[in-house]
C-alpha cells in the first residue's frame, strides 16, 4: 500500500495591509503610528479603526476599536481615511502573484489566501523555499510584506501564519502538530470567541494542550 504524501498548505496574510499600501505610497509614514479608519475629529469622532500599523498597536490600538478610543490612546498617530481603489488594485496584483505559485488557490477577503503547493513541494524544505520566494517577490515587485504559515491543513496554516508577525514564516512540524499547538492559547483557534474562551476558562482550560486532554463529554457535564 503506497504511503500517502503530505499536503503542503500555505496561509498567506498581508501584514497590516491597508496601512502597508499607504506607507508604500508615502514612505514618510514608515516607522510612524498610522491608523486607517474614521476621522477622529480630535477625539470626538465616530466610527472605528479599520487597521493600524504595528507601531500604533504598541499603544493598544486594534481593528474594530472606536476611533475616539484610539485617539485617546495614541493622539500622535497619523489618521488616514481609507483609499479603497488603492487597496483593491494592490490586492488584485497580490492575488495574481500568489496564484502563480499555487497548484490550488483560495482567496479569503482582500488581504489573505490559502495556497496548496503539494504538487510542486515534495518536502517541507522545498515548501519553505517556495514561501521565501513568494515573500521576496511580494517585497520586490509590490513593496509589501506578508506572513506565511505552512501546515498540512488550512486551519493549522492559518494559526501558524499569525505566530511571527510581521513578515514571518512559520512551519508547523509535520511530525508533531499537536506539540506545536499544545502551548498556544485556545483563542488562536479559528471560531473560538470570547464566550467560548470564558466557558473553557470555567473548566480550567486556557491552552490547546489542556483542551487536547479532555473529551467533549467532559465539557458537557
Amino acid at each position: 500500500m503506497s504511503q500517502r504524501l503530505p499536503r503542503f498548505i500555505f496561509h498567506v496574510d498581508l501584514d497590516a495591509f491597508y496601512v502597508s499600501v499607504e506607507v508604500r505610497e508615502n514612505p514618510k509614514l514608515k516607522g510612524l503610528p498610522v491608523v486607517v479608519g474614521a476621522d477622529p475629529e480630535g477625539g470626538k469622532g465616530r466610527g472605528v479603526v479599520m487597521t493600524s500599523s504595528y507601531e500604533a498597536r504598541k499603544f493598544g490600538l486594534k481593528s474594530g476599536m472606536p476611533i475616539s478610543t484610539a485617539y485617546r490612546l495614541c493622539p500622535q498617530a497619523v489618521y488616514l481615511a481609507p483609499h479603497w481603489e488603492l487597496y483593491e488594485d494592490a490586492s488584485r496584483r497580490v492575488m495574481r502573484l500568489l496564484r502563480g505559485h499555487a497548484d490550488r488557490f483560495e482567496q479569503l477577503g482582500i488581504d489573505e489566501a490559502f495556497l496548496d503547493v503539494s504538487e510542486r513541494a515534495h518536502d517541507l524544505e522545498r515548501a519553505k523555499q517556495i514561501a521565501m520566494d513568494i515573500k521576496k517577490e511580494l517585497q520586490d515587485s509590490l513593496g509589501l510584506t506578508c506572513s506565511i504559515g505552512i501546515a498540512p491543513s488550512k486551519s493549522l496554516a492559518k494559526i501558524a501564519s499569525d505566530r511571527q508577525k510581521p513578515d514571518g514564516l512559520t512551519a508547523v512540524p509535520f511530525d508533531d502538530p499537536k506539540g506545536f499547538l499544545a502551548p498556544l492559547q485556545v483563542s488562536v483557534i479559528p471560531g473560538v470567541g470570547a464566550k467560548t474562551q470564558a466557558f473553557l476558562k470555567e473548566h480550567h482550560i486556557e491552552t490547546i494542550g489542556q483542551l487536547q486532554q479532555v473529551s467533549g463529554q467532559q465539557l458537557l457535564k
Side-chain angles (χ1 to χ4, degrees):
M1 187 174 180
S2 61
Q3 186 179 4
R4 185 180 178 184
L5 295 175
R7 295 175 68 205
F8 293 102
I9 308 297
F10 292 178
H11 180 247
V12 180
D13 194 3
L14 278 294
D15 298 318
F17 179 57
Y18 301 151
V19 167
S20 295
V21 173
E22 296 287 354
V23 172
R24 185 188 68 181
E25 298 300 307
N26 181 6
K28 291 182 179 179
L29 296 173
K30 186 175 179 64
L32 300 178
V34 179
V35 177
V36 173
D39 184 347
E41 298 178 17
K44 299 177 181 179
R46 296 184 177 182
V48 299
V49 172
M50 289 174 52
T51 192
S52 57
S53 66
Y54 290 94
E55 291 81 5
R57 295 179 195 187
K58 293 175 182 177
F59 293 89
L61 276 64
K62 57 185 178 180
S63 300
M65 172 181 282
I67 200 71
S68 56
T69 303
Y71 188 83
R72 187 175 70 251
L73 292 172
C74 190
Q76 71 272 32
V78 179
Y79 290 86
L80 301 173
H83 296 95
W84 292 111
E85 290 186 3
L86 271 179
Y87 311 149
E88 290 167 0
D89 178 67
S91 178
R92 282 192 294 270
R93 294 171 184 268
V94 167
M95 297 306 163
R96 189 181 308 128
L97 185 156
L98 296 180
R99 283 179 188 274
H101 288 276
D103 304 317
R104 283 166 289 279
F105 176 86
E106 179 185 347
Q107 183 174 346
L108 301 173
I110 196 170
D111 62 350
E112 56 182 319
F114 287 117
L115 284 65
D116 187 332
V117 300
S118 305
E119 294 174 18
R120 60 188 76 195
H122 299 296
D123 58 45
L124 187 54
E125 288 308 309
R126 176 58 185 150
K128 289 179 182 178
Q129 185 57 57
I130 294 171
M132 292 299 296
D133 291 344
I134 288 172
K135 290 167 66 65
K136 186 176 188 305
E137 206 171 322
L138 275 173
Q139 178 68 68
D140 291 350
S141 63
L142 299 177
L144 298 172
T145 66
C146 70
S147 295
I148 302 179
I150 306 174
S153 70
K154 291 195 290 187
S155 58
L156 275 174
K158 188 170 178 62
I159 290 172
S161 68
D162 201 38
R163 293 302 89 208
Q164 299 185 65
K165 279 185 161 290
D167 199 18
L169 173 59
T170 303
V172 173
F174 276 51
D175 58 348
D176 187 22
K178 285 188 176 181
F180 170 81
L181 290 171
L184 304 182
Q185 297 292 303
V186 293
S187 58
V188 308
I189 302 173
V192 172
K195 288 185 178 179
T196 303
Q197 290 175 53
F199 170 79
L200 292 172
K201 191 170 184 178
E202 288 176 6
H203 291 76
H204 310 290
I205 297 170
E206 298 185 44
T207 68
I208 296 177
Q210 292 169 331
L211 184 60
Q212 291 167 345
Q213 301 303 313
V214 300
S215 67
Q217 289 297 321
Q218 287 175 278
L219 292 176
L220 293 174
K221 291 179 181 179

